[in-house]
Amino acid sequence: MLTVVEGILLCFATSESVLGVLGNGFILRETCVDYVRQKKCSKIGFILAGLAISRICVIGVIISDGYLKLLSPHMVASDVHFTGVSYLWIIVNHMSTWFATSLNLFYLLKIANFSHYIFLCLKRRINTMFTLLLGCLFISWSISFPQIMKMFNDKLQHRNTSWKSHIYKSEFIINHIFLNLGIFFFFMMTIVICFLLIISLWRHNRQMKLNVTGLNNLNTGVHVKAIKVLISFIILFLLHFIGIVVETLSFFRSQNKLMLILGLTIACMYPCCHSFILILANSQLKQASLRALKQLKCYEKGKDVRSTGKTCREMNGHRE
């Protein structure tokens, strides 16, 4: 049985996962509608669609694995669950981080204004940059997959003894560092991108003091919005990583359900909250969300009107 605190945190984590699926599903729907309308897929549309799909998968893996650990701990100890969840987690989590890094790089190349020839070269060859990032994704997978096999073989060798007691915490941490090496690279790249955008904004504001125009104010607003999205990604991703670490460390304390649920709750914040930040930051997605809310409000009003009319007709029938 769960305590009151554990039950509240589990409900909160479940609500986060549902909202995350709804938010990312909305982004995916709008990008698909935009593709059907324009008969072509833009780079930003492809990145947003891939990010939404990968984050829905990340939420599914986190929440399903968390519930299995709580309700069926014997299933978690099985070889099929260990290998299946490990490979699936590495694939979807790396893809989610890759798409987020690609989105941040897209913001940098489209918004920032540097006169250095390297930046101008990168700006002209944006497709090449995404291809290089895709190569980095495959390299990170090639590093992570053998590490999973090493952990699986270690588990098989110590099947008769307690695998938990065999693994030292230092070895456990080193294994997970190798598993997430590619994610560290993409995360550090995002920090560099955010730093470059802040420099670009600072230089833009300095130039704006000499020439104050409406266009400059508009460009400043775009800079600030992009930096907010990047900083929110960094903060939420750090919380996401902390949540995964807390949930993973609960592996050594099978009776500590609070630690597991707390990690689950923190880990679900990133794929949920960042999707709504992207909706608010993107003007097209923001307008579509406002239209959807208006339609929902109109639908509810129409439903109330129909139910009120039905009630009036019933009252008139009783009077007769």
Side-chain angles (χ1 to χ4, degrees):
M1 288 293 292
L2 298 176
T3 64
V4 176
V5 177
E6 291 171 350
I8 292 172
L9 284 175
L10 186 61
C11 289
F12 192 68
T14 306
S15 302
E16 281 180 340
S17 63
V18 171
L19 288 174
V21 171
L22 290 175
N24 288 290
F26 177 79
I27 293 174
L28 180 61
R29 175 188 174 277
E30 289 303 315
T31 51
C32 291
V33 168
D34 187 61
Y35 169 73
V36 172
R37 187 182 300 140
Q38 297 184 4
K39 303 297 182 182
K40 65 177 182 179
C41 184
S42 61
K43 290 185 183 69
I44 186 68
F46 170 75
I47 293 172
L48 287 174
L51 185 61
I53 293 172
S54 59
R55 279 181 174 170
I56 289 172
C57 295
V58 166
I59 293 170
V61 173
I62 290 175
I63 205 72
S64 59
D65 185 56
Y67 268 97
L68 278 175
K69 287 177 180 176
L70 287 172
L71 303 177
S72 302
H74 61 280
M75 268 186 81
V76 179
S78 66
D79 298 337
V80 176
H81 178 272
F82 178 83
T83 54
V85 170
S86 298
Y87 278 112
L88 187 61
W89 172 251
I90 290 299
I91 291 171
V92 298
N93 197 31
H94 279 62
M95 283 189 66
S96 173
T97 312
W98 181 85
F99 276 113
T101 306
S102 300
L103 180 64
N104 298 332
L105 180 64
F106 183 85
Y107 281 143
L108 175 68
L109 297 179
K110 289 294 183 181
I111 296 172
N113 186 18
F114 294 104
S115 58
H116 199 278
Y117 74 97
I118 295 179
F119 180 80
L120 296 176
C121 182
L122 294 177
K123 201 165 187 175
R124 287 193 298 266
R125 299 181 180 179
I126 187 170
N127 292 331
T128 306
M129 287 300 300
F130 288 135
T131 305
L132 289 174
L133 275 180
L134 188 61
C136 294
L137 175 64
F138 284 110
I139 291 173
S140 67
W141 279 341
S142 65
I143 294 173
S144 300
F145 290 158
Q147 193 66 26
I148 294 175
M149 287 305 300
K150 178 180 176 297
M151 293 172 66
F152 178 68
N153 292 332
D154 187 62
K155 184 175 184 293
L156 290 178
Q157 290 174 5
H158 300 86
R159 184 187 294 275
N160 296 328
T161 59
S162 176
W163 188 47
K164 294 181 184 179
S165 60
H166 169 74
I167 295 181
Y168 297 103
K169 285 190 177 181
S170 58
E171 182 185 350
F172 188 76
I173 293 170
I174 291 171
N175 287 337
H176 277 75
I177 287 175
F178 277 105
L179 280 177
N180 296 287
L181 203 59
I183 290 180
F184 292 150
F185 168 75
F186 292 132
F187 181 68
M188 292 305 298
M189 189 174 178
T190 300
I191 292 178
V192 172
I193 290 171
C194 185
F195 179 69
L196 290 175
L197 268 175
I198 291 173
I199 292 176
S200 177
L201 176 62
W202 174 74
R203 293 177 63 181
H204 179 75
N205 285 333
R206 191 176 62 177
Q207 293 174 359
M208 205 175 118
K209 293 178 180 179
L210 302 175
N211 183 22
V212 180
T213 62
L215 180 61
N216 283 332
N217 289 329
L218 181 62
N219 289 336
T220 302
V222 173
H223 270 83
V224 171
K225 189 180 292 185
I227 291 171
K228 286 180 179 178
V229 172
L230 283 169
I231 292 176
S232 66
F233 168 77
I234 292 171
I235 294 172
L236 289 170
F237 191 80
L238 280 174
L239 288 174
H240 173 73
F241 184 75
I242 291 170
I244 295 299
V245 170
V246 172
E247 184 183 355
T248 306
L249 289 177
S250 68
F251 174 78
F252 290 98
R253 300 182 179 183
S254 56
Q255 301 300 322
N256 197 340
K257 292 182 179 179
L258 179 61
M259 193 174 181
L260 171 63
I261 299 173
L262 181 62
L264 196 69
T265 305
I266 298 173
C268 286
M269 286 183 183
Y270 158 66
C272 171
C273 297
H274 197 251
S275 61
F276 288 99
I277 291 172
L278 289 177
I279 291 172
L280 294 175
N282 188 297
S283 58
Q284 186 176 352
L285 291 175
K286 186 177 181 180
Q287 290 174 3
S289 64
L290 291 175
R291 286 196 301 269
L293 289 174
K294 286 180 181 178
Q295 290 175 359
L296 183 63
K297 190 178 293 185
C298 291
Y299 173 77
E300 290 179 350
K301 285 183 178 179
K303 192 174 180 180
D304 291 339
V305 169
R306 288 195 297 271
S307 62
T308 304
K310 184 178 178 181
T311 306
C312 292
R313 286 195 297 271
E314 289 176 353
M315 289 176 64
N316 291 332
H318 286 304
R319 287 174 185 174
E320 290 176 357

